[in-house]
Amino acid sequence: MIWFFAKSNCLNETDSSDVAMPARKSSHSKPNAGDKYSVLLPTYNERENLPLIVWLLVKYFDESGFTYEIIVIDDGSPDGTLEVAEQLQTIYGKDKILLRPRPKKLGLGTAYIHGLKHATGNFIFIMDADLSHHPKFIPEFINKQKEGDYDVVSGTRYRGSGGVYGWDLRRKLISRGANFLTQVLLRPGASDLTGSFRLYKKKVLQSLVERCVSKGYVFQMEMVVRARQLNYTIGEVPITFVDRVYGESKLGGNEIVSFVKGLLTLFVTT
């Protein structure tokens, strides 16, 4: 297999510091024997990326001593992503790699709902499978959650040591502009609404997805807005976001138009 090449010259190993609203409880650093973390990985045409992201997840979870499972939700990828996932399941075991495929693309929100039905952890990580989100930050997410008993811990590119690598100026301007608009219109109490690297208490994520009506990229934004409405607490961890290594970005003109429409809808209805 190809995924052991260069454990990632392309993934920046920068330090990060925690940023969040005031903590409510003292910090914890040791694994809680009763906690289990389910990682939901929706995939579509991620044949090249999936082996490395899974290898990194296993590495950082095993080093940290936390109990975990990785749930791969493939939406009928024509590039053979599911076949690669089946090989990974053979390598790491069915207790660590759960395959819950669907016949076709049905939307990000429904992918999370589908994955939640099969998750056995009391905490849920959501993240991209394209190597944009480095699993090295997972211990920091967990420590931040325990520090304040937060309902949601969100990765942020816009505070502390957070940042973005591999984007051209146009992409950076679109991201900054989108985040600025959401901050002005929605005042969510979180610095990065369009990101999708987050840790939820399972019951909180279940409550939020039941209430969310948006699809695509707006879904992530609505999740934070709904969390604020329901008085859930949100902590933040600065992350470095790295543009995908293999494959093509799924962000296009249609997604940008949908984002603007969804943002205006949220502004009017929340």
Side-chain angles (χ1 to χ4, degrees):
M1 300 290 286
I2 62 173
W3 63 91
F4 291 107
F5 293 165
K7 261 184 258 178
S8 256
N9 291 331
C10 53
L11 300 178
N12 294 273
E13 294 287 341
T14 57
D15 292 332
S16 61
S17 59
D18 293 335
V19 178
M21 290 179 284
R24 296 182 298 164
K25 293 186 178 181
S26 61
S27 175
H28 300 271
S29 58
K30 295 182 179 179
N32 186 327
D35 289 336
K36 182 176 182 179
Y37 297 87
S38 298
V39 181
L40 304 187
L41 275 185
T43 59
Y44 186 78
N45 286 348
E46 299 291 357
R47 178 186 179 89
E48 292 92 351
N49 295 318
L50 187 62
L52 183 52
I53 194 66
V54 167
W55 185 85
L56 287 168
L57 282 166
V58 171
K59 167 184 166 62
Y60 284 98
F61 270 116
D62 284 350
E63 288 180 354
S64 300
F66 297 106
T67 303
Y68 67 96
E69 63 185 3
I70 302 167
I71 303 176
V72 180
I73 308 152
D74 186 65
D75 276 0
S77 297
D79 73 339
T81 298
L82 182 58
E83 287 75 10
V84 171
E86 290 170 347
Q87 295 179 46
L88 294 170
Q89 189 179 59
T90 300
I91 294 170
Y92 296 109
K94 293 184 177 180
D95 60 324
K96 298 298 184 186
I97 310 297
L98 285 69
L99 308 183
R100 297 296 182 263
R102 304 190 298 175
K104 61 181 180 179
K105 291 184 74 173
L106 298 171
L108 186 62
T110 60
Y112 291 141
I113 293 172
H114 182 70
L116 270 172
K117 293 178 181 177
H118 303 281
T120 60
N122 56 323
F123 289 96
I124 307 292
F125 271 102
I126 64 169
M127 62 188 300
D128 294 341
D130 63 3
L131 301 176
S132 297
H133 301 142
H134 201 307
K136 69 178 182 178
F137 294 108
I138 279 178
E140 295 182 39
F141 276 72
I142 293 173
N143 287 337
K144 174 57 65 175
Q145 190 283 321
K146 292 183 179 298
E147 176 186 304
D149 192 25
Y150 293 107
D151 298 307
V152 183
V153 177
S154 181
T156 178
R157 298 162 288 179
Y158 303 122
R159 295 185 68 180
S161 59
V164 175
Y165 294 86
W167 281 2
D168 58 21
L169 180 60
R170 173 181 173 274
R171 186 85 183 269
K172 289 181 178 179
L173 289 174
I174 290 173
S175 177
R176 284 284 185 178
N179 198 65
F180 176 76
L181 283 174
T182 58
Q183 295 295 332
V184 171
L185 295 178
L186 302 179
R187 301 190 181 279
S191 64
D192 191 344
L193 268 73
T194 57
S196 55
F197 193 1
R198 294 175 186 161
L199 170 62
Y200 292 88
K201 291 180 179 179
K202 183 179 182 180
K203 61 182 182 180
V204 170
L205 182 56
Q206 288 172 326
S207 173
L208 292 174
V209 296
E210 289 172 358
R211 290 170 169 81
C212 286
V213 297
S214 302
K215 296 180 180 179
Y217 296 97
V218 181
F219 176 82
Q220 301 291 3
M221 185 168 58
E222 185 178 358
M223 292 281 279
V224 175
V225 173
R226 301 296 179 196
R228 181 202 62 188
Q229 289 179 327
L230 296 170
N231 294 319
Y232 290 132
T233 55
I234 303 174
E236 291 191 316
V237 170
I239 63 167
T240 49
F241 179 95
V242 182
D243 198 17
R244 65 167 44 246
V245 180
Y246 300 108
E248 297 180 357
S249 172
K250 299 176 179 66
L251 178 63
N254 290 336
E255 285 75 16
I256 294 172
V257 172
S258 296
F259 169 82
V260 173
K261 289 181 178 178
L263 173 60
L264 294 175
T265 300
L266 283 176
F267 175 67
V268 172
T269 60
T270 58

